[in-house]
Amino acid sequence: EYDLLPGAPDEGPSHPHDDWVAGVCMRADGCLVSGAYDSNVRIWPGSGASPLVLTGHSDGVTSCCWADEDASANTCALSGSKDFTLRSWAVSAQQHQWAPVFKHTGHTASVEGVSSSRDGSRFCSASFDKTLKVWAA
């Protein structure tokens, strides 16, 4: 027995980067955070406005996520990198502003995954150093 799959979804707009895209996460309001091997994190407002480019990593960004779902005010994005760090960013996509919050160190190899609790109070990072670290926001 088998189920037929529905047709392919409609393709939306493309979001170009300067190098390989390694991570992406979408909020309920359509705002995207993406990370690429050009060492930058990009915030793509759901409105179709040009992206915010968040700089600070010194090597490729391997993973990213939203630390909370609050689209009505400033929100927080997380990114992991081949530079062994996890960074948190304060983002206001509506006002087209961002600021670095913390540079989290402690891994001894590339950070390959990041995730957050739904309320943003804790987040975790996974690394090639064979560790998973849980952090308090």
Side-chain angles (χ1 to χ4, degrees), residues 7-39:
D10 293 333
E11 185 176 327
S14 180
H15 300 293
H17 290 73
D18 295 329
D19 208 333
W20 293 348
V21 180
V24 65
C25 187
M26 180 184 280
R27 267 193 333 218
D29 66 351
C31 192
L32 298 170
V33 58
S34 63
Y37 273 45
D38 63 1
S39 304

Side-chain angles (χ1 to χ4, degrees), residues 15-25 31-45 50-55 57 61 63-66 77-79 89 91 93 98:
H15 300 293
H17 290 73
D18 295 329
D19 208 333
W20 293 348
V21 180
V24 65
C25 187
C31 192
L32 298 170
V33 58
S34 63
Y37 273 45
D38 63 1
S39 304
N40 295 321
V41 175
R42 286 177 174 78
I43 306 296
W44 304 88
S50 60
L52 295 168
V53 179
L54 287 56
T55 59
H57 283 293
V61 176
S63 53
C64 55
C65 72
W66 291 108
L78 301 171
S79 59
W89 312 88
V91 178
W98 65 275

Side-chain angles (χ1 to χ4, degrees), residues 8-133:
D10 293 333
E11 185 176 327
S14 180
H15 300 293
H17 290 73
D18 295 329
D19 208 333
W20 293 348
V21 180
V24 65
C25 187
M26 180 184 280
R27 267 193 333 218
D29 66 351
C31 192
L32 298 170
V33 58
S34 63
Y37 273 45
D38 63 1
S39 304
N40 295 321
V41 175
R42 286 177 174 78
I43 306 296
W44 304 88
S47 64
S50 60
L52 295 168
V53 179
L54 287 56
T55 59
H57 283 293
S58 61
D59 207 339
V61 176
T62 56
S63 53
C64 55
C65 72
W66 291 108
D68 55 46
E69 281 287 323
D70 185 9
S72 63
N74 284 345
T75 190
C76 185
L78 301 171
S79 59
S81 172
K82 293 170 65 82
D83 67 7
F84 306 177
T85 67
L86 171 72
R87 289 185 176 256
S88 51
W89 312 88
V91 178
S92 175
Q94 294 91 352
Q95 295 178 351
H96 218 67
Q97 297 176 341
W98 65 275
V101 179
F102 289 110
K103 175 181 174 181
H104 307 276
T105 60
H107 284 292
T108 59
S110 177
V111 176
E112 294 295 314
V114 296
S115 185
S116 175
S117 62
R118 293 188 135 227
D119 65 359
S121 64
R122 293 181 302 153
F123 50 94
C124 60
S125 54
S127 172
F128 272 166
D129 66 9
K130 302 179 186 174
T131 63
L132 173 72
K133 295 187 180 291

